[in-house]
Amino acid sequence: KLFSQNMPSWLSQLSGHLANDGVRLRIDTEASEHSWGDFKDVDIALCTQVAAANSDPRRKPPTKLINAWAAGVIPVCERWPAYLELAEADRDAVFADGPDEILVVIRRLKQNPTLRAQLFMGSAQRGEGASVARVVRQWQEEFQNVPRLSRLRMAAEACLSLLQQTLGPRWEARVSGLIARLGRALPS
């Protein structure tokens, strides 16, 4: 699952080697018929990225890794910062850089059912922690810890601050007046 412009040049070479080993590499892009973020119909998700000349790799989120965990499949990750920060090698992911290492890892997984089962279990466990229901519960708990009026005050102040920044200096006095009135209307 990747944008076609982010496809590593070595994917076709890897696909050929995997085919010789009886493994099919399916590459889904934005033009594919398969659901973009749903990895449930694969066994392994290749979590790779193409380095952009003007991009900081630390800013790239680990979306493929999290989608792999959500589906309970084995993520094979290149060593990018976000993947290294979240995943634990041979517990909930496997790390490999480039086609040669990835080929070795996939062969190892194919030949080692114990490791494969361990990784499927680790991935499924991590997926439970990243499920939509779990994330919603965490946010609900977080908001329940903030008194209702404080939440209203924070939201109103954030909106008014955004208005102030967006509308510029000529509206600043009006917005400042609104903030002052809001401050008096909402108890602390």
Side-chain angles (χ1 to χ4, degrees), residues 11-153:
L11 270 183
S12 59
Q13 173 194 4
L14 178 63
S15 182
H17 289 300
L18 290 172
N20 292 339
D21 289 350
V23 176
R24 180 176 164 255
L25 177 65
R26 186 180 86 208
I27 302 168
D28 291 339
T29 67
E30 66 277 9
S32 298
E33 60 193 47
H34 298 13
S35 178
W36 182 255
D38 184 1
F39 292 12
K40 289 184 176 98
D41 62 344
V42 299
D43 296 318
I44 294 172
L46 182 57
C47 302
T48 184
Q49 300 173 11
V50 174
N54 60 352
S55 176
D56 183 351
R58 295 170 297 182
R59 295 188 67 215
K60 180 73 173 137
T63 308
K64 291 180 192 127
L65 174 62
I66 293 168
N67 284 341
W69 285 339
V73 304
I74 299 171
V76 175
C77 304
E78 285 191 299
R79 290 174 182 88
W80 283 82
Y83 299 147
L84 290 167
E85 185 178 326
L86 289 182
E88 190 175 325
D90 290 342
R91 183 188 168 281
D92 53 31
V94 184
F95 290 97
D97 289 322
D100 295 334
E101 283 186 34
I102 291 169
L103 185 60
V104 168
V105 163
I106 291 175
R107 286 175 176 161
R108 182 173 148 227
L109 289 169
K110 192 174 176 185
Q111 296 167 357
N112 188 335
T114 304
L115 176 61
R116 206 169 48 242
Q118 175 184 320
L119 286 162
F120 275 124
M121 185 183 313
S123 180
Q125 288 171 344
R126 290 299 296 264
E128 290 170 10
S131 72
V132 171
R134 174 79 184 260
V135 172
V136 166
R137 273 195 315 273
Q138 287 172 326
W139 276 106
Q140 286 171 334
E141 290 169 8
E142 192 64 36
F143 281 121
Q144 287 172 352
N145 292 329
V146 179
R148 185 174 187 275
L149 291 175
S150 292
R151 289 194 312 262
L152 285 173
R153 175 186 293 280

Side-chain angles (χ1 to χ4, degrees), residues 167-184:
L167 298 176
R170 69 184 189 134
W171 291 91
E172 192 168 336
R174 289 183 185 177
V175 173
S176 295
L178 281 171
I179 291 173
R181 278 183 273 156
L182 181 65
R184 290 188 299 271

